[in-house]
Amino acid sequence: FKELYMMDYDGKNQRPISGHKSFTMAPDWSPTGECIVYASYFSGHPSIYYIDLGSGAKMTVLEDGKHNFSPSLSPDGRTVALTRSLEGNSEIFTVRRDGGGLQRITTAPRIDTNPSWSPSGREIAFTSDRSGSPQIYVMDRSGGNLRRVTREGSNNDGGAWDPDGTRLVYAHRHKSGNRFDIAI
């Protein structure tokens, strides 16, 4: 089993928080720090769950037999962006934290994954190989105004916004070799 744990910044006071006795991964904090959204195989397939850290209560966000993973909680804490596999192709969706209002926001014949909300909640960064190699793209929260933001390197993945929303940090692999760096 793989569970989610919390700990102090110095590695002390480690404590489990998911307790599903399953493979659990990809946690994302709410902006206020009161909850975490994550993916787990608890139901037998990857599904999205939410835990209130104050009460320890766990709630299901999306558990429908599809492959749902890589969740990201919006800045207002009400919407989850996630990766959802449909017939072998991963796309980006949004869903309310209560599980309602599931909406597909990307449509591409290639993989779209790893969504990340901007601090304003108006945009979502994500990784796609629609150009032939994994690159970082940004779109409006509804899927419009799509634009590629990385052009260098053979693999760019895991875009995360800086606090003011003007830059992204991501893993970047150079075109030659297997070395990865952190890029902005």
Side-chain angles (χ1 to χ4, degrees), residues 5 34 38 99 101 127 144 154 156 162 164 183:
Y5 279 74
E34 88 274 351
Y38 59 94
T127 303
S154 63
N156 295 294
D162 74 342
D164 69 7

Side-chain angles (χ1 to χ4, degrees), residues 54-119:
S55 69
K58 296 175 201 79
M59 292 150 273
T60 301
V61 176
L62 190 59
E63 181 185 270
D64 62 357
K66 302 289 185 190
H67 286 79
N68 302 298
F69 49 96
S70 189
S72 177
L73 199 54
S74 65
D76 65 8
R78 295 186 294 199
T79 307
V80 178
L82 64 126
T83 304
R84 182 174 169 89
S85 182
L86 301 173
E87 300 171 5
N89 184 35
S90 297
E91 299 289 348
I92 306 297
F93 283 72
T94 56
V95 64
R96 289 191 314 265
R97 196 172 74 185
D98 67 7
L102 182 65
Q103 181 180 3
R104 182 176 179 170
I105 59 172
T106 63
T107 303
R110 304 292 293 255
I111 293 171
D112 295 335
T113 190
N114 290 338
S116 176
W117 288 93
S118 68

Side-chain angles (χ1 to χ4, degrees), residues 13-14 17 25-26 35 40 43 48 58 70 76-77 80 98-99 104 110 120 122 124 129 132 141 145 147-148 173 184:
N13 194 24
Q14 295 179 19
I17 60 169
M25 61 193 164
C35 68
S40 179
S43 64
I48 307 300
K58 296 175 201 79
S70 189
D76 65 8
V80 178
D98 67 7
R104 182 176 179 170
R110 304 292 293 255
S120 70
R122 291 190 301 261
I124 298 172
D129 68 350
R141 72 179 290 144
N145 194 23
R147 57 215 180 270
R148 181 175 167 181
R173 184 169 68 190
I184 297 175

Side-chain angles (χ1 to χ4, degrees), residues 133-135 148 150-156 172-175:
S133 67
Q135 299 294 327
R148 181 175 167 181
T150 58
R151 303 241 177 237
E152 296 180 20
S154 63
N155 188 328
N156 295 294
H172 166 79
R173 184 169 68 190
H174 299 270
K175 287 188 179 191

